[in-house]
Amino acid sequence: MNRFPASLPPDIVFDILSYIDQRDCVECLRVCRTWYSEIPLYATDLWKRIAISPESWKRTNTCLIRCLGPHVTGVSIRSMNIGSVLSKLKENNCDITQLEIVNRIAPLSQRIQDGSKFLSTIHPFNDVLRRLCITDHFTDLSVPEVLRRFPSLTHLTLLFNHRLHGHLSGPMKVNPGPGNSSHNLVYLHLDAVLHFDDRIIPPLSHCAKLKVLILSNDGIDTVRTPTNLNTIFQLCPRLSHLAWNDYHLPDIDVDPLVKGEWNTVLARTPKSSDGQDGAIRELLFRGDISGVATMSSILAKSSNELERLELAFKAISETPEGNILSHLNFPRLKTLVLESLKMEAREWITFLSGCKDMESLALTMSKEDIHMDTMCEIIGSLQQLRSVKLDRIAEPRSIHREDIWNNITVLSRSRLQNLELNGLSLMDSGLLDLCDIPTLKELSLSIMPDISHISHEGLLTFAGKLKARRSRLATLKLSFFVNLDDTVLERFAQLENLSLLVVICSFQITNAGVKTFVTSPCNTGMKKMDTRHCSSISRPGLWTADMY
């Protein structure tokens, strides 16, 4: 054992060690002095990025330090005294280019610390640090000072602990000192709770090369207007991706060192030739509708580049504002999310018909915008669409029989895989038409029971037609289907591809019907059923065959 690794060719040793993780490597170092001395020389690729927490630092301190060296380029430090950790990394010649700091344990009495003192602890790496991510932090930091101290930064994330938000509203004094009038930053993620004029504009005025800006606010009510949006684009003429809202950012696999960031965006931002400078490819905005007309010039310049657009306003305007979109053509648009943006029927038709390559569509509309049958015809004509979500805002008393969706059959021409329809006015015939979408894998229906008439027989026929078509449907969600009972559940249980059934507000299903469904065979593993607000069963929540 002591002859390993010297007794083998280096390439074989490298290959063997490629199958272990950092924890296994630490255990190997504890075997004997030879392994402690030599294995780190062959495991440099394994230690390029490390995560340090109080538990891991205390338990593996000696062995971890033995594995440090110039090959360590990325570090994540959580809930620790970062000064002592970074000093140790510097002593071992670590070349830190990516640093994540998460500080969750600072006492309340220390939440407003000296920001300059905190930044001084990171200063030893100021010449090589490229990506800095500070989250859940208790120190009031000045973004301009961060940029001045770290001239090599290209990516910066700075998010404060929510208990500090009340102290971040005013301007902040910046320590005097020389700095770059134009910084190399291409990615910036800040708390939108920061005062726009005093805390956001100053750093942006030094970031002419910025391509990605995320201002997330965790639900804090801040003034977000298209007028301010226009100011951002004037300061950062190369900006191509902007998220300014209280959305959850896209759920995608991200590097542990850049959690909360767009991994897909990070891959593109360093390329100065990636698209036209200042032409927006991804824009997410939630805020006040006042000043929305100022967005016209931004969208017009980006019309040939825009791939993702999400606009959500706090209230539907009394006057149509959709003309900012209707006269533009977005040939590369892949994802569209519009909420509370009022458009007339002809404007919807003109706008959506020009988005031939759209893959994902989510709309929140009022009854007056466009009849759903017309919307179905548009959706059926967009051959690249894979995901559709339609929410209809209307009071039940304002909906009449002529508002029933009668033309769902045109969706059979589409290649939809995910379809979600909320505020649905539907008859049995419309429900059966949904069976004719051959590629559908996920279906969510929320009907308005006061106007929709989905009979018990209609539900049975729906389940039978899905079975006859050998439907690929894997997930089905039904809300407010009052005629859904155990007999219907038995029919759904015969769908071998259906693995998850979600039922909301149904008062006829019983525990016996749930058991019948979850214990039936499924081609993709185990059937599951999620029940909510169903008073006729013993408990809400997820049901599986393991319970029986």
Side-chain angles (χ1 to χ4, degrees):
M1 179 180 295
N2 287 346
R3 298 179 60 190
F4 177 83
S7 60
L8 295 175
D11 57 334
I12 295 180
V13 178
F14 280 117
D15 186 58
I16 292 173
L17 295 180
S18 68
Y19 290 95
I20 67 173
D21 57 20
Q22 292 181 355
R23 180 174 297 182
D24 294 332
C25 185
V26 167
E27 294 302 321
C28 289
L29 265 61
R30 291 172 173 167
V31 171
C32 64
R33 291 183 180 180
T34 302
W35 285 25
Y36 178 84
S37 174
E38 296 187 15
I39 283 184
L41 302 177
Y42 297 89
T44 53
D45 288 346
L46 183 62
W47 293 94
K48 285 185 177 180
R49 298 180 179 181
I50 59 176
I52 300 174
S53 63
E55 180 183 3
S56 64
W57 188 252
K58 180 179 180 180
R59 177 170 49 84
T60 64
N61 186 297
T62 304
C63 295
L64 188 150
I65 292 176
R66 173 61 187 147
C67 295
L68 299 179
H71 54 275
V72 178
T73 59
V75 179
S76 174
I77 305 174
R78 296 178 176 271
S79 305
M80 290 192 65
N81 182 342
I82 64 168
S84 61
V85 175
L86 292 177
S87 296
K88 187 62 69 174
L89 295 175
K90 189 65 176 179
E91 289 175 12
N92 288 270
N93 301 315
C94 296
D95 192 15
I96 306 301
T97 61
Q98 301 183 44
L99 176 61
E100 180 193 40
I101 299 173
V102 182
N103 185 10
R104 293 196 177 104
I105 63 171
L108 194 60
S109 60
Q110 298 179 11
R111 64 186 179 190
I112 307 177
Q113 306 170 15
D114 182 359
S116 297
K117 182 178 179 180
F118 172 80
L119 293 176
S120 296
T121 61
I122 313 173
H123 193 70
F125 300 98
N126 68 318
D127 291 332
V128 295
L129 198 61
R130 299 290 186 270
R131 296 184 179 184
L132 176 61
C133 179
I134 303 175
T135 60
D136 208 3
H137 207 63
F138 288 83
T139 303
D140 190 359
L141 297 174
S142 163
V143 180
E145 185 171 359
V146 174
L147 299 181
R148 179 179 66 82
R149 284 174 173 260
F150 303 97
S152 299
L153 278 182
T154 59
H155 296 68
L156 174 63
T157 296
L158 182 56
L159 305 177
F160 298 99
N161 184 280
H162 66 92
R163 287 183 288 180
L164 189 62
H165 284 173
H167 302 273
L168 302 175
S169 58
M172 183 178 186
K173 294 182 179 180
V174 181
N175 289 346
N180 295 334
S181 58
S182 179
H183 201 276
N184 293 319
L185 209 66
V186 294
Y187 177 99
L188 180 61
H189 184 178
L190 297 176
D191 269 325
V193 69
L194 296 173
H195 190 273
F196 182 76
D197 292 332
D198 296 328
R199 295 294 193 100
I200 294 177
I201 286 184
L204 293 184
S205 63
H206 298 285
C207 297
K209 299 178 182 179
L210 197 68
K211 292 197 172 187
V212 182
L213 176 62
I214 301 176
L215 300 172
S216 54
N217 68 345
D218 292 331
I220 303 296
D221 189 18
T222 58
V223 178
R224 302 181 299 282
T225 68
T227 302
N228 288 343
L229 197 68
N230 202 42
T231 302
I232 290 174
F233 286 111
Q234 290 176 357
L235 294 173
C236 307
R238 296 186 180 182
L239 204 64
S240 59
H241 302 77
L242 173 68
W244 190 5
N245 48 46
D246 52 7
Y247 290 107
H248 292 294
L249 291 178
D251 293 328
I252 55 177
D253 284 336
V254 297
D255 191 297
L257 289 168
V258 288
K259 284 183 178 178
E261 300 180 4
W262 275 329
N263 197 42
T264 53
V265 171
L266 291 177
R268 292 196 292 256
T269 51
K271 302 177 183 178
S272 59
S273 61
D274 187 12
Q276 177 186 353
D277 281 349
I280 304 303
R281 291 203 304 277
E282 297 185 345
L283 173 60
L284 292 75
F285 178 80
R286 177 185 292 271
D288 197 307
I289 199 170
S290 61
V292 70
T294 61
M295 297 179 66
S296 295
S297 60
I298 298 171
L299 294 172
K301 183 178 180 180
S302 308
S303 60
N304 290 325
E305 299 284 343
L306 196 66
E307 297 175 5
R308 176 176 181 175
L309 177 63
E310 298 190 17
L311 299 178
F313 298 103
K314 292 182 179 179
I316 296 179
S317 175
E318 294 298 326
T319 57
E321 301 284 355
N323 53 19
I324 67 170
L325 298 177
S326 61
H327 67 282
L328 297 174
N329 184 32
F330 301 98
R332 297 180 60 181
L333 193 64
K334 304 291 186 182
T335 301
L336 175 65
V337 179
L338 295 180
E339 179 180 331
S340 301
L341 184 68
K342 187 174 179 61
M343 286 201 280
E344 296 179 357
R346 58 179 177 80
E347 292 174 329
W348 281 113
I349 295 172
T350 302
F351 171 55
L352 292 176
S353 298
C355 304
K356 297 298 184 182
D357 290 336
M358 191 184 304
E359 297 175 358
S360 178
L361 173 66
L363 302 178
T364 300
M365 302 171 295
S366 66
K367 171 195 170 186
E368 292 77 14
D369 286 345
I370 185 173
H371 195 284
M372 289 299 104
D373 283 348
T374 304
M375 182 61 71
C376 286
E377 291 180 9
I378 298 173
I379 292 173
S381 67
L382 299 175
Q383 292 300 304
Q384 300 303 318
L385 262 182
R386 297 297 180 267
S387 177
V388 169
K389 177 182 178 182
L390 298 180
D391 292 326
R392 193 179 189 192
I393 302 175
E395 293 294 330
R397 294 179 181 177
S398 68
I399 297 179
H400 307 287
R401 193 169 185 84
E402 59 267 21
D403 298 310
I404 297 291
W405 295 22
N406 297 308
N407 201 24
I408 290 182
T409 184
V410 298
L411 296 181
S412 61
R413 304 196 302 261
S414 71
R415 300 177 183 177
L416 289 177
Q417 296 181 2
N418 306 309
L419 177 61
E420 180 176 348
L421 304 175
N422 299 316
L424 194 60
S425 305
L426 200 62
M427 303 290 284
D428 285 349
S429 57
L431 181 65
L432 297 180
D433 287 338
L434 292 172
C435 299
D436 296 327
I437 307 176
T439 54
L440 202 59
K441 295 182 179 179
E442 296 184 15
L443 176 62
S444 176
L445 303 174
S446 178
I447 65 173
M448 303 189 71
D450 292 341
I451 188 65
S452 298
H453 299 282
I454 305 297
S455 66
H456 180 261
E457 185 62 31
L459 286 169
L460 292 174
T461 306
F462 172 64
K465 189 173 181 180
L466 287 175
K467 180 182 178 181
R469 296 291 178 91
R470 295 184 178 179
S471 172
R472 301 180 185 179
L473 199 65
T475 301
L476 177 62
K477 180 179 178 181
L478 302 175
S479 302
F480 303 103
F481 282 74
V482 295
N483 290 315
L484 179 62
D485 62 6
D486 288 353
T487 308
V488 178
L489 291 183
E490 291 178 9
R491 292 287 183 91
F492 284 142
Q494 298 174 19
L495 303 177
E496 295 184 351
N497 290 320
L498 186 62
S499 59
L500 176 61
L501 176 63
V502 182
V503 177
I504 300 176
C505 291
S506 178
F507 310 111
Q508 295 191 46
I509 61 173
T510 67
N511 286 21
V514 173
K515 179 180 179 181
T516 299
F517 179 81
V518 299
T519 56
S520 59
C522 179
N523 288 340
T524 57
M526 182 186 300
K527 283 189 183 295
K528 301 176 183 179
M529 184 170 175
D530 189 3
T531 57
R532 310 170 198 172
H533 307 292
C534 299
S535 57
S536 53
I537 59 175
S538 58
R539 66 168 187 84
L542 190 65
W543 301 74
T544 65
D546 295 339
M547 299 177 178
Y548 299 97

